[in-house]
Amino acid sequence: MMPKKPVELTQAEWVIIKAVWDQEPCSAPAIQQTLQAQTGWAYSTVRTLMDRMVTKGLLTATKSGKHTRFRSAVTRRQAQHGELLYALKNAFNGALTPMVQCLLETGELSAKDLAEVEALLRAKKKGGKQ
């Protein structure tokens, strides 16, 4: 079930939610420890970010005694969808063709990537859903 409005995450929220997806259910101290080398964030920073993400509906928090367990409230697909729509709207003024052209021009698409995209386009033209 997709949320009504697209999911938009800040750069810091992406860092947190990726760690949560890998470890859920998890605690803020566990996430802070996981991200310490990468970010240098103190526990208070991680906990504040996670609490804000709960408020935004990106994470859920369940208290059990002194401990709080966090879970993601959005899927990877929902987050990716929101990020893609944000880029389409902001970087490409909503124009899909220039965005796709930009992706194709990166030169980082393999023959397998192109075949998968072609299959998606064929399915879409036939009225299929994907």
Side-chain angles (χ1 to χ4, degrees):
M1 169 167 82
M2 294 290 284
K4 287 181 174 66
K5 82 178 208 178
V7 175
E8 290 184 10
L9 288 91
T10 66
Q11 191 172 356
E13 289 168 346
W14 270 107
V15 172
I16 297 277
I17 204 156
K18 285 177 183 177
V20 170
W21 284 328
D22 289 343
Q23 299 181 38
E24 63 187 330
C26 55
S27 66
I31 296 300
Q32 188 271 333
Q33 193 170 37
T34 297
L35 298 176
Q36 176 64 43
Q38 176 188 346
T39 64
W41 291 339
Y43 169 75
S44 59
T45 302
V46 171
R47 183 58 193 249
T48 298
L49 282 166
M50 292 178 80
D51 287 341
R52 286 181 185 161
M53 291 173 73
V54 169
T55 302
K56 286 177 71 175
L58 301 171
L59 297 178
T60 60
T62 308
K63 255 185 131 33
S64 175
K66 291 182 178 181
H67 304 287
T68 303
R69 305 296 284 169
F70 292 89
R71 289 184 176 274
S72 61
V74 294
T75 64
R76 287 180 194 264
R77 187 166 176 105
Q78 287 170 322
Q80 291 166 341
H81 185 258
E83 193 75 10
L84 186 62
L85 291 178
Y86 179 85
L88 179 63
K89 181 176 121 189
N90 292 290
F92 297 93
N93 295 321
L96 181 61
T97 301
M99 183 171 158
V100 172
Q101 185 176 1
C102 181
L103 290 170
L104 293 172
E105 288 171 354
T106 66
E108 296 178 18
L109 295 173
S110 67
K112 182 180 181 232
D113 290 331
L114 290 172
E116 289 173 354
V117 170
E118 287 172 345
L120 290 170
L121 290 171
R122 277 194 302 276
K124 189 67 175 173
K125 282 181 180 178
K126 288 181 182 177
K129 202 176 175 187
Q130 182 93 27

